[in-house]
Amino acid sequence: MQRVGQESLKPRTGAGELLVLYDGACPLCAREIAHYQGLTPVAPVRFADVSAAPEGDLGCGVDRRAALARMHVVEPDGTVVSGARAFIGLWRRMPGWHWLARLASVPPAPWLLELIYRAFLRVRPALQAQARRKVVDAR
């Protein structure tokens, strides 16, 4: 996993790269991103753990606090999307996930997935605490 500073969070113009911002201090997020990192994307993807980044703007148009609160991606053209749409953008580039990206892109699926994601974000702190306890208990 790559922890990044502000300079490496700036979009790389012309690279066609999707920049995924995630909270590496969150055991749920880290585990999910590790799954994606184990795949060979069909187009360039860069993962950036923003948990250790300084407060404020990360240099890609996203504030650190916002990036820690929900998943964000920076599209190759510099467009920032978050939540369900961020996952759809990532799934488009992941082998074995294309079908879900296509299905999730058909209205009203993005809207419904966003509702589900927002519900997940409400229970995420409790799930994080539970996951951290399991890690401690396993030691």
Side-chain angles (χ1 to χ4, degrees):
M1 270 182 275
Q2 172 190 12
R3 290 190 187 264
V4 294
Q6 285 181 311
E7 281 306 307
S8 60
L9 284 174
K10 292 188 178 175
R12 296 178 185 164
T13 54
E17 175 182 81
L18 183 76
L19 175 61
V20 178
L21 306 175
Y22 72 97
D23 180 359
C26 166
L28 305 171
C29 306
R31 186 173 184 154
E32 181 174 9
I33 293 299
H35 168 75
Y36 295 129
Q37 287 175 320
L39 303 174
T40 303
V42 298
V45 176
R46 183 166 42 119
F47 296 93
D49 175 358
V50 298
S51 64
E55 290 293 330
D57 188 335
L58 296 171
C60 58
V62 180
D63 180 79
R64 178 181 180 266
R65 183 168 286 144
L68 292 174
R70 58 190 277 130
M71 183 159 139
H72 287 71
V73 300
V74 182
E75 298 281 352
D77 67 358
T79 303
V80 177
V81 294
S82 69
R85 292 192 186 274
F87 282 99
I88 294 168
L90 176 58
W91 295 338
R92 278 191 188 106
R93 291 173 177 248
M94 292 293 134
W97 291 82
H98 301 117
W99 67 272
L100 185 56
R102 281 193 296 275
L103 183 64
S105 297
V106 177
W111 178 80
L112 291 171
L113 288 172
E114 182 63 26
L115 286 178
I116 293 167
Y117 184 64
R118 288 181 184 193
F120 163 76
L121 291 176
R122 288 190 193 108
V123 299
R124 182 177 122 172
L127 295 173
Q128 287 173 320
Q130 184 178 12
R132 286 186 180 107
R133 277 192 302 274
K134 284 184 180 181
V135 168
V136 169
D137 291 345
R139 291 181 186 169

